[in-house]
Amino acid sequence: FRDTEDLDGLFSGWDAEEGQYDTSSWQYEGTEIAASAGKRDQQYEDRTGDDQRSVGSKESARGHSHGSGGPTIVGTPRTDPTLQHPRCVYQILRRHFARYTPEMVQDICGIPQALFAQVADALVTNSGRERTTAFAYAVGWTHHTVGVQYIRTAAILQTLLGNIGRPGGGILALRGHASIQGSTDIPTLFNILPGYIPMPHAHEHETLADFVSADAGKKGYWGHMDAYTVSLLKAWWGDAATAENDYCFDYLPRLTGDHGTYNTVMRQIDSPSRGAGGYFVVGENPAIGSANGKMQRLGMANLDWLVVRDMVMIESATWWKDGPEIETGELRTGDIGTEVFFLPAAAHTEKNGSFTNTQRMLQWHHQAVEPAEDARSELWFYFHLGRIIRQKLAGSTDERDRPLLDLTWDYPTEGTIAEPDAEAVLAEINGRDAQGQPLGAYTELKADGSTTSGCWIYCGVYKDGVNQAARRKPGSEQSWVAPEWAWAWPANRRIIYNRASADPAGKPWSERKAYVWWDEEQGKWVGHDVPDFQPDKRPDYRPPEGAKAEDAIAGDDPFIMQADGKAWLYVPAGLSDGPLPSHYEPQESPFDNALYSERANPARKQYPRRENHYNPAGSDPGSDVFPYVFTTYRLTEHHTAGGMSRWLPYLSELQPGMFCEISPELARERQIEHLGWATIVTARTAIEARVLVTERLRPLKVQGRTVHQVGLPYHWGSNGLTQGDAANELLSVALDPNVHIQESKAGSCDIQAGRRPRGPALLEYVAEYRRRAGIGTTA
C-alpha cells in the first residue's frame, strides 16, 4: 500500500485508463476482500449503448452498495494493540494527515488559524468520558466531488474522540425533506434494494446463492443477508417465490452500469428524437432543480412521453413551451415530440403514511383533508397503475410478464377514490411469519422462505399488529429516551452501536451519560435503550474458530454490522476514491491543489460534452475568465426547487425574487449596486439576479490570493407567483464517484453588473466567454 503522500495525490492501484482504483493493495495483512468490491463487476459489459465496454465499480456505483455494511472480509487481519507498527492503521492515519496543519488549513481554505484552533479545542474539550459532541451536516458537505470523504472525515474524528454510540454524539444528516432518510431506506436509488441490500448486477447465470455469497459479510449481522433478501423476495412475490425457483431472484432487474439520473439524461440526449422512451418525474423538478438544467430539458425533449406528478404546474411540466431553450431558439415547441402528462399529486396532509427522518425514526402522519379534485397520492397512483397493467397482461404466457403478474398486489382500498390502505403497506414492509402473524424484529427473519419483510431494517414497526410509528405518548409519561414516541429502525433502537457507550468490560464510560451496560446478575445487556448487541453476549466473549454472523463478533466489539465488529478509520474497500480522505479541489476551483499535483478527485465522474462544458481551473489557461467562486444554498422561506413555496402568496411575499449575495469589496470591484441587477456567467450559461450586498459573504485569502464568493439561492424558476432565473443552470455535472451526487456547492464564475442578454443573444454572450477561456465548441 502506498498513500497519497507517497504518490502525489494518488493511492496505490490507480488505473488511469479506467479512471478507477484496483483496491487489492489496500487490504489488511492476512485478509482479502471479496472480488465484488470491483473486479467481479468488470466481468460484464454495458450493452445499453452502441459500443460495448467493460463496466467497473465506478460506473455502477458499486462503492455505495458496500457502504451499507462494508465489504466482505475473508480471513483475520493481523493487529498491533500497541499501535506502534509502521503499517498499522493508526500510524498510517498519523502520517496521512501530518501535513494538514492549521497553517495549511488557512492557506487552502482561508480559515484563520485561531478559528481553526477554536473549533478543534471545542471538539476535543467536549469529547471524553463525561462529554460528547455531535456533528450535524447538510448538503454543504455532500454536494461535492469529495462529498462522501467529507463525511468519512467526520466519522474518523467521532471514532477517535469516542462520540459514536453514545448519547449526545454521532453524525446526523440534516435533510431537505421530511423523509429523505426513508427514500434511501426503501430506496429511490438505482443501485440498492430496500434495507441497503445491493442491487444485483448483470452477471450471467448468477444465482441467489452466488449473489449472497459475493456480497454478504460472513461475520456481523450482514451474515444474515440471505434471510433479509429471501424475506424481501417473498414479500414481493409471495407464493410464487419458492426455493425451487430461487425465490424469484431472476425477477429482479440487473444493473448494467450507471443508471443514475445524470447518466440517464445524457442517454436521452444521445437518443434519436422520440427514441428515448418514457420518464416519470415524481416529487422532483429536474428542469430547474438538477445540475445543468439545460441538459435535463434537452433530454426530456427526446422522450416519447413524460409523466409529471406534482401539486402545481412546475417547470418540468412546461419547459416545452416556455423553457429557456424556447427563448433562445435552441428548441421549438412544434418540433418537440414529447407527449407530456401532468397528474396532480396529493400533499402529505391529504394522505396517510410515514416520514423517516435523519434519526431513523418513522413517524406516522394522518390524513387531515381529502385531496382536492383529481389530486391523488403516490400510493394511489402506483397501486392503480400496477393494477391496470396487470389487468392488461392477464392471461399472458410471455415469460417477461411473469414478474408483474406474480407480484403481491392485493392491498385493501377505502373511500370513493379507492385509496390503498397505507397501514396495510406498512404491515407488509414489517413482515410476517409462516402463520401470517406480524414479526417483532429483524432477528426473526429466516432464509428458508417462511418469513416475509419488505424492508428488513423496518421489521418490528408493526409488531403485535400495532402501528408503532403512530405512537404519541407524551414525554412526561415515559423515559428521557422516549421509546414510545414513534419507532426507530432497527428494533426501535434510538442510538445505533450503543454498545460503545460502555467500556470494554461493559461498564458505562460515564455514570452521568450511562446508556446501556452489562448486568452481571441478570446476565444480559440492560439500559435506557434497546441494546445494539446480542442481549446475552458477555463483554469477555471471544468467538470460537469458524464462528459466523453475530457469533463471530467479540463481546467488546460494538460495531456489529461490520465484518470485524470495529469502527473503520481506514476503508480497505467499499469506497471508490480511497481508503482515507484526501484533500482535492473542486472540479472548477480557481486554485491548484496545494498538497498534491492531483488537483481534483481523480476518481470523480466527469462528462465533458457539448452541453456540459467545464470552466478552466487552477493554473490552466483561461481560468482567469471565471475568477470568482459561487455556491448554492436554500432559504428558510422557500423549499428546494420552489414547487411547494413559490405558489404560496405569503412565502412569495417574504422572498419575492431571485437574488445573489456578494461582499461590499466585490461590489466595488465590479461596480455592482445594492438592489440592482447582476449577471452571473459560467461556461454553461448566464443567469441574472437582484443584488444583495452584504458582509455575510466574506472574501477569502487562499494561497496568497483574495477570492470573492457569490451566493445563490436555488429556489427559483419561470413559473409561480415569484419568478427568476434558476441557479442550477450555472452548474456543471461533475459527480462524487461513490454516490453520484453533483457538485453544486462549489463552482467558478464571473459576475458583471446589469441584466443578462435575451434570446439568441444569450447564446452568443456565453459563447464569447468560452472563446476567451479557450473552451472549444465541442467536447
Side-chain angles (χ1 to χ4, degrees), residues 463-482:
K463 182 181 180 180
D464 300 323
V466 175
N467 184 344
Q468 307 284 329
R471 296 180 300 174
R472 294 290 187 276
K473 193 170 186 177
S476 59
E477 299 176 16
Q478 56 175 319
S479 77
W480 62 274
V481 176

Side-chain angles (χ1 to χ4, degrees), residues 62 71 90 125 150 169 184 272 281 315 357 381 509 520 526 541 552 611 613 622 629 632 636 742 771:
R62 197 64 185 179
Y90 180 70
T125 303
Y150 284 155
T184 49
V281 172
E315 289 79 4
N357 63 21
F381 174 74
W509 292 106
E520 186 64 41
V526 298
Y541 169 83
E611 307 87 5
H613 294 291
V629 297
T632 62
T636 302
Q742 71 280 352
R771 282 193 287 270

Side-chain angles (χ1 to χ4, degrees), residues 126-433:
N126 288 279
S127 302
R129 284 183 176 269
E130 297 299 324
R131 303 187 69 82
T132 48
T133 294
F135 275 115
Y137 72 88
V139 292
W141 275 13
T142 56
H143 284 186
H144 291 273
T145 48
V146 287
V148 166
Q149 296 290 10
Y150 284 155
I151 298 153
R152 271 276 298 139
T153 305
I156 290 171
L157 282 169
Q158 291 295 70
T159 300
L160 289 171
L161 293 170
N163 289 321
I164 300 293
R166 303 182 63 202
I171 304 169
L172 299 95
L174 302 178
R175 307 297 203 173
H177 291 271
S179 199
I180 290 295
Q181 184 67 53
S183 71
T184 49
D185 298 342
I186 300 180
T188 53
L189 303 171
F190 74 90
N191 58 339
I192 52 175
L193 296 168
Y196 303 92
I197 297 169
M199 178 69 81
H201 286 229
H203 301 296
E204 208 170 344
H205 310 307
E206 183 178 45
T207 66
L208 176 60
D210 295 333
F211 169 66
V212 170
S213 65
D215 285 289
K218 303 298 184 287
K219 303 175 181 179
Y221 274 92
W222 273 106
H224 298 292
M225 182 177 148
D226 54 352
Y228 311 149
T229 306
V230 170
S231 296
L232 173 66
L233 296 173
K234 288 292 292 184
W236 282 350
W237 285 292
D239 292 340
T242 65
E244 289 71 30
N245 64 16
D246 229 4
Y247 298 105
C248 295
F249 176 68
D250 283 345
Y251 284 4
L252 288 175
R254 299 296 198 268
L255 292 183
T256 57
D258 178 359
H259 302 281
T261 175
Y262 292 109
N263 193 279
T264 297
V265 164
M266 282 179 272
R267 290 181 177 183
Q268 291 169 354
I269 293 173
D270 295 337
S271 297
S273 180
R274 291 181 63 83
Y279 203 47
F280 286 87
V281 172
V282 181
E284 302 282 347
N285 195 1
I288 61 166
S290 295
N292 196 333
K294 175 184 279 191
M295 282 180 60
Q296 301 285 333
R297 296 184 295 269
L298 293 178
M300 289 190 286
N302 269 1
L303 295 169
D304 294 305
W305 52 264
L306 169 68
V307 173
V308 179
R309 278 183 43 77
D310 214 291
M311 294 182 290
V312 293
M313 197 65 69
I314 58 174
E315 289 79 4
S316 293
T318 64
W319 55 268
W320 53 272
K321 65 184 180 70
D322 57 12
E325 290 71 40
I326 302 298
E327 178 191 324
T328 61
E330 294 167 275
L331 292 175
R332 289 181 64 254
T333 297
D335 296 335
I336 297 170
T338 309
E339 188 173 10
V340 182
F341 301 88
F342 179 81
L343 303 178
H348 67 278
T349 52
E350 299 170 335
K351 57 192 176 185
N352 293 316
S354 66
F355 294 130
T356 309
N357 63 21
T358 191
Q359 65 193 102
R360 312 174 327 282
M361 185 186 293
L362 281 77
Q363 298 186 77
W364 195 260
H365 60 85
H366 297 276
Q367 183 183 36
V369 293
E370 289 289 331
E373 300 177 339
D374 291 331
R376 295 291 185 268
S377 70
E378 277 71 36
L379 186 55
W380 183 96
F381 174 74
Y382 287 112
F383 170 72
H384 287 290
L385 177 63
R387 178 183 58 80
I388 292 167
I389 292 174
R390 281 157 51 87
Q391 285 177 352
K392 289 184 177 293
L393 293 176
S396 170
T397 58
D398 192 332
E399 276 299 306
R400 65 177 291 171
D401 296 332
R402 291 309 328 158
L404 278 171
L405 292 172
D406 289 343
L407 273 174
T408 56
W409 210 253
D410 51 357
Y411 310 102
T413 60
E414 52 195 14
T416 56
I417 64 172
E419 176 76 13
D421 182 354
E423 279 208 22
V425 177
L426 187 69
E428 179 186 60
I429 291 170
N430 177 88
R432 301 178 176 90
D433 63 18

Side-chain angles (χ1 to χ4, degrees), residues 390-549:
R390 281 157 51 87
Q391 285 177 352
K392 289 184 177 293
L393 293 176
S396 170
T397 58
D398 192 332
E399 276 299 306
R400 65 177 291 171
D401 296 332
R402 291 309 328 158
L404 278 171
L405 292 172
D406 289 343
L407 273 174
T408 56
W409 210 253
D410 51 357
Y411 310 102
T413 60
E414 52 195 14
T416 56
I417 64 172
E419 176 76 13
D421 182 354
E423 279 208 22
V425 177
L426 187 69
E428 179 186 60
I429 291 170
N430 177 88
R432 301 178 176 90
D433 63 18
Q435 288 72 47
Q437 297 302 306
L439 294 169
Y442 70 90
T443 51
E444 299 173 17
L445 297 174
K446 303 191 183 312
D448 60 5
S450 61
T451 60
T452 71
S453 177
C455 183
W456 70 274
I457 59 175
Y458 283 19
C459 190
V461 70
Y462 215 76
K463 182 181 180 180
D464 300 323
V466 175
N467 184 344
Q468 307 284 329
R471 296 180 300 174
R472 294 290 187 276
K473 193 170 186 177
S476 59
E477 299 176 16
Q478 56 175 319
S479 77
W480 62 274
V481 176
E484 295 177 82
W485 181 274
W487 186 88
W489 68 260
N492 201 31
R493 185 171 290 125
R494 302 305 164 117
I495 297 180
I496 57 174
Y497 300 131
N498 58 38
R499 164 64 179 91
S501 68
D503 67 17
K507 296 182 175 58
W509 292 106
S510 156
E511 287 302 323
R512 187 175 71 87
K513 296 182 82 74
Y515 199 67
V516 302
W517 56 89
W518 174 256
D519 187 303
E520 186 64 41
E521 278 190 26
Q522 298 186 60
K524 65 177 183 179
W525 290 90
V526 298
H528 303 293
D529 196 0
V530 178
D532 196 8
F533 213 59
Q534 282 175 274
D536 58 351
K537 179 180 283 185
R538 297 179 54 84
D540 58 2
Y541 169 83
R542 292 297 176 267
E545 190 72 29
K548 293 186 180 346

